[in-house]
Amino acid sequence: MNTSTEMQGTRSGTTAMFVFGAAVGAVLTALVLWYVAGARDFFHALEESRMAQLALVIEKKTLTPQLREYLKGRLYWNAVVWIPRGWFSGMDIDHGPIDEETLGTIVIAQDGTSPDYVYRAAMKKHSTGN
């Protein structure tokens, strides 16, 4: 009976199982962290959209024209990029197209997407007909 060879085989199997378990654990941890980070971004966008919607509805007469256009842009941008269909059901988020002249040099999206495109895409995605 060769116990030295048997022990080496057991150690190799244990090491392989440990490495496999560590790899699976690392992948699962990465997936959970990715999900949590994405959920945080989603809820941040949802909260920003709620605040913009409230301001556009409740404070529409006291907002400066440029702030009004910026809030519309952020609401529409979040609606296109972050908010899934159905989250705005029962809510009218159509505050009209974004007036680029009034908006001036303020950007609503980092990638330079045109405000007109953002408005049309938000209305298409969140219209009650879809």
Side-chain angles (χ1 to χ4, degrees), residues 7-65:
M7 289 183 71
Q8 285 179 342
T10 304
R11 283 189 197 140
S12 295
T14 304
T15 302
M17 288 180 63
F18 174 78
V19 170
F20 177 73
V24 168
V27 168
L28 289 176
T29 300
L31 287 173
V32 166
L33 291 175
W34 175 76
Y35 173 77
V36 169
R40 185 186 68 234
D41 290 342
F42 165 74
F43 287 112
H44 174 80
L46 185 60
E47 187 62 25
E48 181 185 12
S49 298
R50 287 179 183 165
M51 295 303 293
Q53 176 71 0
L54 283 172
L56 289 165
V57 170
I58 296 171
E59 302 292 333
K60 64 182 169 187
K61 293 182 179 173
T62 60
L63 294 174
T64 63

Side-chain angles (χ1 to χ4, degrees), residues 21-109:
V24 168
V27 168
L28 289 176
T29 300
L31 287 173
V32 166
L33 291 175
W34 175 76
Y35 173 77
V36 169
R40 185 186 68 234
D41 290 342
F42 165 74
F43 287 112
H44 174 80
L46 185 60
E47 187 62 25
E48 181 185 12
S49 298
R50 287 179 183 165
M51 295 303 293
Q53 176 71 0
L54 283 172
L56 289 165
V57 170
I58 296 171
E59 302 292 333
K60 64 182 169 187
K61 293 182 179 173
T62 60
L63 294 174
T64 63
Q66 193 172 42
L67 178 57
R68 182 187 67 242
E69 298 308 309
Y70 175 75
L71 290 173
K72 286 169 30 178
R74 292 304 302 162
L75 174 63
Y76 299 155
W77 176 256
N78 286 332
V80 171
V81 175
W82 294 103
I83 313 292
R85 283 186 170 89
W87 276 77
F88 290 128
S89 64
M91 195 186 306
D92 183 15
I93 65 165
D94 188 355
H95 298 281
I98 302 163
D99 184 349
E100 292 183 59
E101 189 173 309
T102 302
L103 188 61
T105 58
I106 295 177
V107 295
I108 59 166

